[in-house]
Structures are given as C-alpha cells and as structure tokens.
Amino acid sequence: MKLSHFNFNLPKELLAEFPAENRDESRLMVIDRQKQTIEHKMFKDVINYFDDGDVLILNNTKVFPARLYGNKEKTGARIEVFLLRELNSEQRLWDVLVDPARKIRIGNKLYFGDDDSLVAEVIDNTTSRGRTLRFLYDGSYEEFRNKLTELGETPIPKYINREVTAEDAERYQTIYAKEEGAVAAPTAGLHFSKHLLKKLEIKGVNFAEVTLHVGLGTFNPVEVEDLSKHKMDSEELIINQQACDIVNEAKGKKKRICAVGTTSMRAIESSVSSANTLNPYEGWTNKFIFPPHDFSIANCMITNFHTPKSTLLMMISAFCGHDLMKKAYDEAIKEGYKFYSYGDAMLIL
C-alpha cells in the first residue's frame, strides 16, 4: 500500500482540544472484524466485551514535562526546547528539538528560569530541528532532574491551540503511568478510570504491563510514498517475564488479548518468539507496522482516532483491514467523533 491510501480530510472542529469531563465517558466506536459491523457506545461499555481470563496489555510509561522555554544568550530570544531523550546522565547530555531552529548553533548557550538557574550549551546539530544539549547545573543529578520538572511543562500536542492548564498535568497521563520517560502519552489509555479498571479486575480480566517510552517518532509524518522506505525513530522498550507469563497463558487458553493503544501493540510485536508467544525484552525498537502484517499476540485492540498519513493509522489499517478502517473513519467524521489525543476511542474486535 502507498502513502496516498492513508489521506483523508478531517474537519478542524473534530480535533479534541479538551478531554472528556470523566475519563470513561468519551465515545467508543466498536468494530467487529468478523461481522464487519460498527456500533456506537460509551467507553465505559468496554467492560461488556471482556470476560474472566481475558488480558489487557497496558503501556505504563509516564510522560515527563518535556517542553521548556529558555532565552538565548546575548539576544534574549525566546527558544522552545523539547526534550526527547537523555543520552548521558553523568554529562547531562540530551537530544532535543529547538524552535526556532535557525537561530540555534553549536556553541550557543540557553538560559532557563527567571533566575537563569539552569543553563544549556549546544554541542551538536543532529537534524534540521534537532540539537544535542549539555546542561550546566550546580547540584546533584536528582536536583537537576527536579529542576527540569520544575521548569518544564506538560507536552500536550502542538495542534491543541491553547495554553497548558494545571489540569493537563494530570489528564495527559494514564492512571496506571509509572515509568517516567515518554514525551507523549499513550493516549488510548487515557480513557480508563480507576473505577473502570477495578470493575474489569473484579470481572476477572488480567492486566499485563509493558513499558514503551513514546518518542516523537511515533508522530513523525510519513513522507515517502513507498511505506517500506519509512524509518521509525527508536523508542525504549521493556517487557518483563511477568507480563509474558500473563499474556502467554491467556494465548494458550485462546482468551481475548487486547492491546491498549498502538504503543502497546508495537511493543508486543517487537518481541515475538518463533512459536508466536511473547518474549521478555529490554532495549530499543523501531518497529513499523503497516499493511500487510500478521499480528502474533493480540486479537483485539483499543485505540484513538489518528491523523491522516500517520504510522498509527497504518497500523490500524493492518489490524482492522483497510476497507473496514476507511468505512469506520468515514462514519466517525459523519457522527462527529473527536480525534487525536483527547478524542474518542475505538475498540477493534
């Protein structure tokens, strides 16, 4: 399939700028691949599709406040710095994106905070917007990380055209987020409330937690017509033995195994054994899933509605079937479903 197969017109009013008041009260489109049917529900109705012994695979990554604003030395120009990944904790080296990038060259210094309590020096150009920064800070590593948290803000997506609110710090985080390291939330998980998870647990549904630290690579637009030539950025992935045991036992019993979000799906598809079971893993993955693809672990997934031409949409097409996905998206637009991070959800059975 080509890039042009994944383009569609999305009305601006369908971009969700704010989350649903209650996490589990967003809308839910239920797609049955076997019956080729589409139903409209509320997210809390998801409980009706799972039984004792079924498994939800959750990405427990936690978003850190990755967006900083600093001033360039001498000119005082305001520069946005988006922290991507830590390269070396001892030397305090980070991969970042800067905006506006044309003003930022190797050797420049940036000052952060009203009191300039944090300084960074540009030591390398990595891409057109990418830079490597060395942070200069008098204090322990723990104090340095606390300073980043204090000065940073929740990195809600750029298309949300409003100021970040205090509420975003809590709402742009899943309730099961534990392992800090993501620069964007695994948004399908934002729909789960504590109450809904408890009800699923009481029903006998098991949870397998994996950690995929979501980077911006997930959202980078695909710019090549031949999808096989697109390169995903690598993201850090950890799958422990306990998660594998939960998933493999359910697989052996032919239970429903649901990947909550494209990041969970990419995580498990990155570590499949020759017997099509889940293996423990610790490292990096640049797995790019697009049609055609044989899925090895999950037989069900929960996801949000994604941007045109995105890698996320391509994965949904591979899992759902392209024609059914297109039909679902056409219906979502007609019915006024909200798209992207704070938008509505889809359950694909």
Side-chain angles (χ1 to χ4, degrees), residues 35-80:
K35 296 178 186 166
Q36 297 276 299
T37 55
I38 295 172
E39 290 183 286
H40 305 286
K41 304 282 184 180
M42 297 292 286
F43 191 81
K44 57 189 174 188
D45 298 327
V46 85
I47 192 164
N48 300 325
Y49 297 90
F50 295 97
D51 287 312
D52 185 33
D54 290 342
V55 172
L56 293 180
I57 300 172
L58 310 175
N59 181 7
N60 66 11
T61 189
K62 188 173 185 180
V63 181
F64 69 95
R67 188 171 278 134
L68 302 169
Y69 292 95
N71 297 99
K72 189 180 170 188
E73 63 177 338
K74 295 179 184 160
T75 67
R78 181 174 155 95
I79 305 293
E80 179 188 306

Side-chain angles (χ1 to χ4, degrees), residues 55-316:
V55 172
L56 293 180
I57 300 172
L58 310 175
N59 181 7
N60 66 11
T61 189
K62 188 173 185 180
V63 181
F64 69 95
R67 188 171 278 134
L68 302 169
Y69 292 95
N71 297 99
K72 189 180 170 188
E73 63 177 338
K74 295 179 184 160
T75 67
R78 181 174 155 95
I79 305 293
E80 179 188 306
V81 172
F82 196 99
L83 301 172
L84 289 179
R85 63 174 70 92
E86 187 174 49
L87 299 174
N88 184 310
S89 57
E90 279 181 33
Q91 295 183 42
R92 297 178 188 173
L93 296 181
W94 281 75
D95 257 346
V96 305
L97 296 177
V98 292
D99 191 22
R102 59 191 162 73
K103 295 184 175 180
I104 303 302
R105 299 186 175 92
I106 294 172
N108 287 159
K109 282 197 170 78
L110 300 170
Y111 293 85
F112 302 92
D114 295 337
D115 55 356
D116 295 343
S117 55
L118 182 64
V119 182
E121 183 180 6
V122 181
I123 64 168
D124 196 11
N125 285 347
T126 51
T127 62
S128 59
R129 287 182 59 213
R131 302 290 184 271
T132 302
L133 297 188
R134 177 186 286 119
F135 283 97
L136 312 169
Y137 182 74
D138 292 329
S140 67
Y141 178 72
E142 190 181 350
E143 289 168 330
F144 164 65
R145 288 303 298 245
N146 288 341
K147 177 58 74 171
L148 287 183
T149 300
E150 175 197 323
L151 294 174
E153 70 176 32
T154 302
I156 62 170
K158 279 279 192 177
Y159 74 82
I160 295 181
N161 196 15
R162 61 171 173 80
E163 291 293 310
V164 174
T165 66
E167 187 199 19
D168 287 316
E170 183 260 333
R171 281 299 268 114
Y172 195 62
Q173 205 76 270
T174 64
I175 55 165
Y176 46 79
K178 291 190 186 88
E179 306 294 335
E180 192 171 83
V183 300
T187 55
L190 297 179
H191 301 283
F192 285 94
S193 63
K194 283 183 180 162
H195 181 63
L196 180 56
L197 279 183
K198 194 70 193 168
K199 283 172 74 174
L200 284 159
E201 191 184 328
I202 290 166
K203 202 170 180 182
V205 175
N206 296 314
F207 306 112
E209 294 188 12
V210 299
T211 306
L212 181 81
H213 290 316
V214 188
L216 286 185
T218 297
F219 307 98
N220 279 349
V222 179
E223 292 171 341
V224 286
E225 184 66 9
D226 180 352
L227 302 186
S228 66
K229 292 189 165 53
H230 177 70
K231 295 285 183 285
M232 289 282 282
D233 280 0
S234 290
E235 295 168 318
E236 194 173 3
L237 169 62
I238 301 154
I239 302 174
N240 63 27
Q241 187 62 55
Q242 183 185 8
C244 294
D245 292 344
I246 293 168
V247 168
N248 293 336
E249 184 184 350
K251 196 167 193 291
K253 292 177 177 174
K254 296 194 164 30
K255 294 290 185 181
R256 183 162 276 170
I257 299 170
C258 183
V260 176
T262 56
T263 63
S264 295
M265 184 67 89
R266 199 160 74 256
I268 58 177
E269 287 293 307
S270 297
S271 190
V272 179
S273 75
S274 55
N276 277 355
T277 55
L278 186 61
N279 275 345
Y281 187 90
E282 189 160 346
W284 295 76
T285 179
N286 62 352
K287 184 85 173 173
F288 174 32
I289 298 172
F290 60 95
H293 180 84
D294 289 329
F295 290 83
S296 304
I297 306 291
N299 50 23
C300 160
M301 80 180 291
I302 292 169
T303 187
N304 281 25
F305 290 92
H306 304 296
T307 45
K309 297 186 177 179
S310 64
T311 61
L312 311 172
L313 187 63
M314 290 159 193
M315 180 193 292
I316 303 311

